[in-house]
Amino acid sequence: MTSITDRIRLDRAADRGEGEAAIVSLLFAVLAVAVTALVIYGAYFGLITALILRSLFYSLVSAGGLLLVGLNARAGWTRMLCYALVPVALVPGFHLWQSYVDIIMRGAMATPPDLWIFVGVMAVLLVLVRMALGWALVILVGVALAYAWFGYLIPGQYGHGGYDLRRLASTLMLSTEGIYGLPMGVAVEYIFLFALLGTLLMKIGTGEVFVDIARGLTGRMQGGPGLSAALSSAMLGTINGSAVANVVTTGTFTIPLMKRVGYSPTLAGAIEAAASSAGQILPPVMGAAAFLMAEIIGVPYSQIALAALVPGLLYVVALMVAVRLEAGRLGLERDTDAGLALLRETLVKRGYLLLPLAGLIVFLIMGYTPTRAAVICIVLGLLISPFNRLTRVGPVDLVVVCRDTLVATMPIVAAVAAAGAVIGVLNLSGLGLMLSGLIVDLGGQNVWAILVLTALASFVLGMGLPTSAAYLLLAVLVAPALTRLGLPPIVAHMFIFYYGLVSAITPPVALAAYAAASISGGDANKTAFESVRLGFVKLLVPFLFVTMPGLLMIGSPPEIVLSGVLATIGVVGLTIAFAGWLGRPLAAGERLMMAAAALLVIWPTAVTAADPATLLARVIGCAALGVLAWRAMTSGGAVAAVNRPRVS
């Protein structure tokens, strides 16, 4: 029988001594339980002051993170450094808790002890970010601190008088303008809580229900495993939000199944990577950015989730169409073990496991705050788990859920803390507004030029940073440039959000694609390029937000419906053109005409524009797509399908 210590043992701890691994795993589990208790208490009762709650949360998470990265560090000195910084990480939270009244009474001005604690905070932050996320964010924080300290050496409008250690400690540590600012508040109030809910749902088997529902709906179709992978990964992403985590969770099942029915390793990996990245743009989790966006814009979270729904579904629809066309082009087989019988069995026997997720939606519609709704759904998940012995969650299982949640969210919290420090410096120096003005000056008041510059800036920043950190910095640096042009805030923020996360499938980073390639055995770069072809909607749809704000539920009902219809027609047309198959192989000329017609449908003017040029373009586009599709599907497609050799 597996012992409790073995069940709570951290992964990849096997190469350490038994004593070290057991002690570190136990301490990590204790910290995980403490973090969970703090977050749930703060979320449900809301009686803890923001600065105290955020500092305690970050202290506990960073201490656990140092234990985790230390246990898995290769160099002995690195491991010892991480362990030595664990008590240092715990000091700030408890110091601010005990000294909160005194800090308020002296106007949050730092004292000599505060300066030493601030130095420790920054050391913990830089080491944790380096070990968990790499050098990019460490360099960014270092540059921000150097700019704050040596700004007096910079001539012109981008220079400033310089800020000493006392001023930096007051801003970045003793207030809610730096490390413990709004981003950290979102992490403690939303990100960890929803990650906890998602981890619990995975523990009781909701993820497997998603996979089987997808197989039941699509498995009997040609190339069904590919469709199942796309649909199940998208559904799993609604409770996960991490593209890489989705790949390693569902990809271990879907990729071999796709290869078995004839998908190449490269294409199987690309489908899984593109499908898994759908979770970043589908509510409710959206890689934690939905919660950040709601707080920054100042709108209810439900409004952000609703706005993200149609573009996310558009992405999934385009991906499903692309996968089905690839299956037809390759003449693939069906998943004979799936079908409606599996769907019926899944819903009858395990459908109750979807109740927490359904309850979350219902509670949000009823007007509950996201935090309270999440806590109630966590309790609901615990209540339904005993119905089946395989899904039953005991005390040790709860500890494991807390542990896994802390493991999953620690990199996000580290990124949020680092981004908070950078944002604090930007606000302190006023550089954020100046850079936003620079983008407007370079674009020359041309909205499309500014959009292209913004997309490039977002893409570059997204390559080196986690989604949450990239979005936070873009929201400060770039989004104001778009809002100054008159774009609604939600349009501007969704635009930068999409381009900040597209690096999950685009080279040279493409972490989701590379993770999928490691499972499929395909070439990593080819897998990434195939992922971009399948997931091109992420690159296209942000520009549609500008001319079709109805996609984000902005405007009258007719505008919203028309936006959805035109965008769907255009995206499906482009998907067919990229696939090069529709009942039969399409010639190069046909594919070019199909792409051109699709672009005419989504003509870059307002969706309500009634000028002759716009109307003519959209009518010609729709008519051309219809004619091309009809010709392709009625010109020997059946014969081509019969004579086409099957892929082994």
Side-chain angles (χ1 to χ4, degrees), residues 310-374:
V310 173
L313 292 178
L314 194 63
Y315 178 87
V316 175
V317 167
L319 180 60
M320 298 281 285
V321 171
V323 172
R324 176 61 185 87
L325 294 177
E326 291 294 332
R329 182 174 64 86
L330 298 172
L332 302 184
E333 299 177 359
R334 291 167 170 79
D335 181 4
T336 56
D337 297 329
L340 294 179
L342 175 61
L343 176 62
R344 183 168 51 253
E345 179 185 358
T346 300
L347 292 177
V348 170
K349 293 185 177 180
R350 293 176 292 156
Y352 68 93
L353 294 175
L354 299 174
L355 285 176
L357 194 58
L360 178 64
I361 297 172
V362 171
F363 289 134
L364 290 175
I365 293 175
M366 292 174 61
Y368 282 67
T369 63
T371 52
R372 179 158 294 205

Side-chain angles (χ1 to χ4, degrees), residues 75-90:
W77 70 269
T78 305
R79 190 163 73 253
M80 291 301 104
L81 173 63
C82 292
Y83 291 162
L85 286 175
V86 170
V88 177
L90 292 172

Side-chain angles (χ1 to χ4, degrees), residues 48 136 148 151 246 268 277 285 323 326 429 443 457 462 487 514 552 579 597 603 608 639:
I48 307 177
N246 271 10
S277 64
V285 178
V323 172
E326 291 294 332
S429 62
L487 294 181
Y514 294 161
L552 299 177
W603 187 263
T608 55
V639 175

Side-chain angles (χ1 to χ4, degrees), residues 22 37 81 115 157 160 171 175 192 204 253 260 272 293 304 323-324 373 375 403 415 431 464 483 500 538 555 563 611:
L81 173 63
L115 300 184
Q157 63 174 330
H160 57 81
T171 300
S175 74
F192 188 91
I204 66 177
F253 170 78
R260 192 180 74 189
E272 179 58 43
M293 199 180 300
I304 299 295
V323 172
R324 176 61 185 87
V375 171
R403 180 205 66 185
L431 182 62
T483 55
K538 276 189 179 180
S563 297
D611 59 281

Side-chain angles (χ1 to χ4, degrees), residues 100-158:
Y100 179 72
V101 175
D102 180 54
I103 292 171
I104 297 300
M105 293 299 293
R106 52 184 158 91
M109 296 304 296
T111 60
D114 293 327
L115 300 184
W116 286 107
I117 295 174
F118 175 67
V119 171
V121 167
M122 297 311 300
V124 167
L125 175 63
L126 294 175
V127 170
L128 182 60
V129 170
R130 165 62 187 89
M131 297 298 294
L133 301 169
W135 281 107
L137 203 48
V138 172
I139 294 173
L140 191 59
V141 173
V143 170
L145 293 175
Y147 175 74
W149 191 275
F150 299 107
Y152 64 91
L153 299 176
I154 302 175
Q157 63 174 330
Y158 295 105

Side-chain angles (χ1 to χ4, degrees), residues 241-266:
S242 170
V244 177
N246 271 10
V247 168
V248 298
T249 301
T250 61
T252 53
F253 170 78
T254 59
I255 289 176
L257 192 58
M258 284 189 279
K259 291 170 63 177
R260 192 180 74 189
V261 299
Y263 288 97
S264 68
T266 297

